[in-house]
């Protein structure tokens, strides 16, 4: 069991590193171009690996935490505390998997349903987004009870994601390009979840003393990805609204110029 856990963990880390790096390629390249599409599929594939491995890791930690880790050299108190901690990590892996999959799935699915938004209103989509809302409350409660801010952060992210997506399933946007903004929101949301998990958990695993210099530094993984993601979504939406607005205004002006002048009134 320990060997299986370690293999899956390294696979999870490898996929996560690929996803974190490749995420920035479609984010910074022209949307809809060949580079954006190819890099986007690499990112999606890497995130699917992250989700699948996170689910397996969570299951292993819940089913047999003692086989997956060594806790305190056999001391009963240390073993008991280690088991509890392992199960909390399992909950974290599950939340990460759910949130990442939800954002990625929604970001891809909206592209296929852009001409008919009602295609998004399926039982699977409704259940997926509702599950984010439902798990948010126990995540926040567990995080507050045990002093684990990461669970609180992911609980809030799950709640916001689920409520927002469920609302959009029934509220039809008058903007014909709503699918583009929903795609941007979802894919950037998946990046926020992945970067938060890496900075708060993975980076410390690689560099144990990363945040030891000052407690203030530990605020970075909780705030930086969300703030950067919010700013990115806001700026991208503003950019594309201005761009498409200018195109439509130019088209209207051209149409007006092409209209024939009214005939002079007969005397």
């Amino acid at each position: 069991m320990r060997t299986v856990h370690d293999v899956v963990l390294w696979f999870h880390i490898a996929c996560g590193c690929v996803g974190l790096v490749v995420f920035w390629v479609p984010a910074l390249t022209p949307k809809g171009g060949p580079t954006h599409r190819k890099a986007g599929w690499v990112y999606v594939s890497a995130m699917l690996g992250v989700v699948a491995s996170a689910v397996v890791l969570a299951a292993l930690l819940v089913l047999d935490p003692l086989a997956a880790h060594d806790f305190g050299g056999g001391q009963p108190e240390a073993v008991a505390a280690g088991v509890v901690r392992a199960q909390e990590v399992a909950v974290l892996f599950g939340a990460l998997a759910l949130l990442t999959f939800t954002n990625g799935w929604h970001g891809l699915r909206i592209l296929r349903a852009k001409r008919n938004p009602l295609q998004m209103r399926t039982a699977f989509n409704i259940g997926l987004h509702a599950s984010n809302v439902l798990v948010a409350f126990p995540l926040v409660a567990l995080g507050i009870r045990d002093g684990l801010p990461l669970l609180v952060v992911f609980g809030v992210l799950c709640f916001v994601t689920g409520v927002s997506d469920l609302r959009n399933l029934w509220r039809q946007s008058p903007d014909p390009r709503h699918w583009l903004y929903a795609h941007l929101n979802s894919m950037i949301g998946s990046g926020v979840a992945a970067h938060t998990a890496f900075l708060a958990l993975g980076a410390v695993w690689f560099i144990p003393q990363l945040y030891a210099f000052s407690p203030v530094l530990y605020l970075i993984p909780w705030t930086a990805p969300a703030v950067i993601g919010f700013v990115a979504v806001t700026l991208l939406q503003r950019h594309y609204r201005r761009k498409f607005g200018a195109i439509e205004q130019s088209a209207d002006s051209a149409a007006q110029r092409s209209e024939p002048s009214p005939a002079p009134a007969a005397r």
Side-chain angles (χ1 to χ4, degrees):
M1 185 71 74
R2 180 63 178 273
T3 301
V4 174
H5 174 271
D6 291 345
V7 170
V8 176
L9 177 61
W10 278 109
F11 177 78
H12 179 83
I13 293 172
C15 290
C17 290
V18 172
L20 290 174
V21 173
V22 177
F23 168 82
W24 293 99
V25 178
L28 300 176
T29 53
K31 305 301 176 281
T35 302
H36 176 88
R37 292 175 180 270
K38 292 178 181 178
W41 279 113
V42 173
Y43 171 73
V44 168
S45 301
M47 287 298 101
L48 284 176
V50 168
V51 169
S53 57
V55 171
V56 174
L57 288 171
L60 292 175
L61 289 175
V62 170
L63 296 175
D64 197 354
L66 294 177
H69 287 283
D70 296 325
F71 301 114
Q75 297 296 326
E77 296 81 3
V79 171
V83 169
V84 172
R85 186 69 175 180
Q87 292 173 342
E88 291 170 343
V89 172
V91 173
L92 172 61
F93 278 131
L96 172 62
L98 176 63
L99 189 61
T100 303
F101 178 78
T102 300
N103 279 289
W105 172 263
H106 188 75
L108 291 177
R109 186 62 184 169
I110 195 68
L111 294 178
R112 298 184 178 182
K114 59 184 178 182
R115 291 183 177 85
N116 183 13
L118 293 179
Q119 293 179 358
M120 295 292 294
R121 202 180 298 173
T122 65
F124 180 80
N125 281 345
I126 295 172
L128 180 62
H129 300 312
S131 64
N132 280 267
V133 178
L134 294 176
V135 304
F137 298 100
L139 282 175
V140 173
L142 182 61
I144 294 175
R145 188 196 70 179
D146 296 342
L148 299 172
L150 188 57
L151 291 182
V152 176
V153 170
F154 275 106
V156 173
L157 289 175
C158 285
F159 181 81
V160 172
T161 299
V163 170
S164 177
D165 290 341
L166 284 173
R167 181 183 59 184
N168 291 334
L169 289 180
W170 270 268
R171 189 184 65 178
Q172 299 298 316
S173 173
D175 193 332
R177 298 181 182 86
H178 69 94
W179 58 270
L180 173 61
Y181 309 128
H183 174 72
L184 292 174
N185 290 347
S186 295
M187 301 313 291
I188 292 177
S190 69
V192 169
H195 282 76
T196 301
F198 173 75
L199 290 174
L201 191 64
V204 178
W205 190 78
F206 283 107
I207 309 175
Q209 301 300 319
L210 181 62
Y211 303 118
F213 299 102
S214 172
V216 178
L217 294 176
Y218 205 57
L219 296 175
I220 294 175
W222 314 118
T223 57
V227 170
I228 294 174
F230 175 79
V231 172
V233 167
T234 302
L235 293 179
L236 283 171
Q237 289 192 3
R238 184 179 302 174
H239 165 72
Y240 283 107
R241 291 184 192 279
R242 288 178 177 176
K243 176 182 177 180
F244 294 130
I247 293 174
E248 292 172 355
Q249 185 177 5
S250 177
D252 292 340
S253 299
Q256 291 176 0
R257 288 195 300 267
S258 64
E259 292 179 356
S261 302
R267 295 183 179 180

